[in-house]
Amino acid sequence: MASHNGSAPAPAESPPPVDSVREFVKQGLDSEDERIDVGVVIVGGGTAGLACANRLLQLLGDDSELMESLGEVPVAIIEKAKTCGGHNLSGAVMRPGPLQELFPDMTREDWRKERFAFGEVKKEAVYMLPNGKAKLRIPTPPPFKNHGNEVISVSSLARYQQRMAEEGGAYVLTETSATQLIVEDGRVLGVRSGDKGRGKDGEPLSNFEPGTDIGAKVTVLAEGCWGHLTGAAIKEFGLAENREPQVWELGVKELWKVPKPLDRVIHTIGPWPLRVASKYGQIGGTWLYPMKDEKSGDDLVSIGFVIDLDYRDATTSAHDLLQLFKTHPFVKEILDGGERVGWGAKALPGGGYWSMPKLTMPGALLVGDSAGMVDTVSLKGVHHCIKSGFLSAEAIYKSLKGGESLESYEQAVENSSIGKELYQVRNTRQPFSKGFIQGAPVVNLAIATKGKIPGGRLEWHRNDEEPMFIGDTRERYPKPDGKYIFDKLSSVYISGNATRDDAPNHIRVQKEVPREIAETWEWMCPAGVYEIPDDAPESGPVDVIVNYTNCVQCGAITAKGGRLTPPEGGDGPLYTLT
Amino acid sequence: MADVLTYVLHYEGAFNKNSLGAVSEGAARASEIGGECHAVVVGGDDLSDELCQSLGAYGATKVFRAKGAEGLAQPVVDVMAKVVDEHGHNYALFGGGLLGFEIGAGLAARMHAGVTMEVTGVRAEDGKLVAERPILQDSKISVSRYQGDLGIIIGRINAFEIQERDGGSAEVVDVDVEYSDWSNKAKMVQRGEQRGADVDIEGADILVAGGRGLGKAENFKLAEELAGAFGGNSAVAATRAVVDAGWYPYAAQIGQTGKTVAPKLYLAAGISGAIQHKVGMQTSENIVAINKDAGAPIFEFSDLGIVGDLNKILPKLTEAIKTKKGG
Amino acid sequence: MKICVLVKEVPDAAVEKRIDPSNGRLDRSGEKNLNPYDTHAIEAAMQIREGGAAEVEEIVAVTMGPESAVRALHKAVSLGADRSLHLTDDALSGSDVAATGYALSKALEKEQPDLVLLGQQSDDGECYTIGAVVADHLKMPSLTQVIKMDVEDSGLRCERQAEYGYDTVQVDLPAVISVGDAINEPRYPSLKAIMGARKKPLETVGSGDVGIDSSKVGEEGSRVQCGDFHDPEAKPPGKIIEDEDTNETVEQIVAWLEERKLI
């Protein structure tokens, strides 16, 4: 391990012990009687994966010949949570088009009756927060114009989509993880499901059940942020060649039941509660969305904080920054008298257009967040997930029917609203890597010119290459009081997190890392997974304690020097309205 | 006539604490609705007249005694069904414990009666008894009201306090019962076998629990010595964090994933009180916490909190208790 | 030997449980799962079958519940049951413990099992020992909280932890046994088993099909009503001592303990 003599170490210098291709790519399928064969296997029962299933089953529903030719299980969805939606989390204000296209017979009132939509955006406001007391309303920049959009819960939407998929004939295998991509002769043949019943050190326990190979004509990787198999596929098939590296952001969200309904969608663009000086490298913002739960009549507020993961101050904690944000008087006013009813965290891909990998490979394709289809300027990705699922289904259908190459999907995405919207903001976020103050003018220019300026292709550099230093961001975090300001552990509790005591550790990090990296992980993780032992030296190598059973699988660790791998199926949070 | 019938378990010549609690509770509640409290005992010759009469001290005016198998529920259902049939008791009340559940449930089937389990409180309302029980992880209380001739109340462990009074001696009435066929189909082969030296954590009256604040595995000795000083039915418990770290065995783990306990005294040393732990011990009768961090969440729900260094406090406390008990 | 395993669908442990403000009843929406205790019962049935001491012709999963309860049956079948029986009827809704046990016993009567197994309690904390209710109606011997069970002498040798230690009880068949979670480590279903579960026979029956007397079930047939949900009495705030003079602190602790008769 390199010594640093005072210079700041980067997480990339202490890489996790993992070899994607060797570990997560399996050569060849098991024999027929050992494996399961399905028509199309979709890894990930989130918004995108289920949209693919929903559309594909609609098409197959009208084509019984093709449906039958796919066998007993035409479409299988592999989902590691206890139910689809259990691991899904987003803001979210969604552009309605793609969902209307997917379910044309539903009205928006129907959406709300199904309890995944919570109201059309009527009013909106964007604030700049110079400090913890004041706020300046600014005219709503175009990306934040949300009139006509709908506040939704992706967790709840996924549950609805799951039901529709099952009614359409899909097999949804919940509590099942996909741990390996099966490849042969340069072609994806399917995936392998995860083992169950391993102990703390990976040893098989008395009720050990090995995973099963699932062979499929087409494999859809819809794993969301930090796609486990997606990462392996990208390496195996060189899908990231000539692309910008992917970069990530971490969002922490709370759901509050409030006595007084919020009347508008609010975004704040900083700088408070972040530090403006560029040495901290902190770029982020917040949201407050009103939600009217038609079923219970409750008024809810979704409040969240998102930060780019290329920050440099090791003591940056998204969870605590959200708690700090709540201390602002205008937020207090909104949440006053309310009760926290939900909490969660999730990373999202922030690289945009230039960081998207090639979307297809022989036998498989990528949809949704796994493919990096998020517009982080307007904070919109849900409608792209749905659209990409929809387009992938059409490409798969054409391929199964007439042998057309799956590559038609790439062009379809490029020509669709996904390609157009992401292209427009392709260079809009990169300037912030220089810092909020330096970057803001260029970012504004990009927004004002609808992406014409700056031209060309602006770079991203990897999050884990940022040198980390131990700064003072932590000094501003408010103390938890259990009523308004919350600690990490009680937050993990209400996420519904459940993990078997003797489950094996699913997180890969290097054993001994510099103090700065250890602190980065300890502060970064919203669930309190990483802990520095009391007797660790103030400077010098630290053997970080990994409380992996707290993990809510947000994925941030993979951006900053570690690697999240899928735990045993069924483990992790059980989000309901996030 | 709103009489209450309780079941009293016995073993090796002594009555079960939870059963005595049920008699005490039954007597207090019965008097509020103009009735009496009676008891049922089932067993062999060790159920002497003297022993049975002593239930009068807890408020029972009559004791129905039947000869039958001990430690099994179904014979008792036969006995209680007959007694209720003949004497018209309106409530059957059981103290916490395995048999209480089994007999109460069997009696509910036999008499087609309503039954409430895990009851923590009983009260009189308009001449009837209603039972209260916690639900939703003890966050709410539910009230049960009965219809029909018999209401069955099964208490939570240690829910009913024993109250001795000058009730004098109870009248012993022998009952002849023809047992159902199936009641004879379960035979006790061995009863009350003690296994190993482990104290059953879930059954302990006093638990001394250690958490990360102990500092190191060796310091569990402090917890063990304190538990030893308390003596009797005391044991040592641990949080998940220290079990994960290998300081103490999994069998002692309390919490969301671990055991749930409700001892008379839960003394938490070096435990922060995160909710994952709290849900495993929050209904303990008395919670004492020792922690050097004044802001630890455990102080919000402890009955007595000491902000200080457990390394100094535990040994002195152990000595003081030994002295109190020994002297 | 024919074994019937009683299973129940319960809200997932992670789902926040609350009272539905619109009707004052327990909110039963949200994820449901096979009662974890019941997986031990199915495993126990499988171990008898695989153990060889008795020939088990059939393991039947039985449940009483609304339409969604079929998921619990699918899970039970994926864990090894050969077929399942779903007792469902609007008339049964609102049944209390005694009524539910009675209804289940009628469904079981139809099956004529040699052994009925179930988990010792349900995760939603509603029913403890419903096995005892079922057994009384079926006129079978019954034990609950069994943590070891062996086929012996054409009966079952069972162990359980009772009030005074471990009891060993020999039970004749047919019998109703509720098992504790310490009895075994349930297996995980293979993907093949999960997917194959839907193909196994599932019979749906109503009250009339099994001869249930409707006056004994449902809200009308239940003899206990639960309601009036309220918050428990708030615990008075605890006393806090800041330790300065440890001798004095310890004196205070001892006095406090003595007051409460803890030493």
Side-chain angles (χ1 to χ4, degrees), chain A residues 29 31 108 135 218 324 486:
Chain A
L29 281 167
S31 70
R108 287 174 67 162
K135 72 179 195 292
V218 181
L324 177 58
F486 295 94

Side-chain angles (χ1 to χ4, degrees), chain C residues 175-188:
Chain C
V176 178
I177 306 288
S178 310
V179 299
D181 54 359
I183 191 173
N184 56 36
E185 203 53 66
R187 62 197 63 193
Y188 291 100

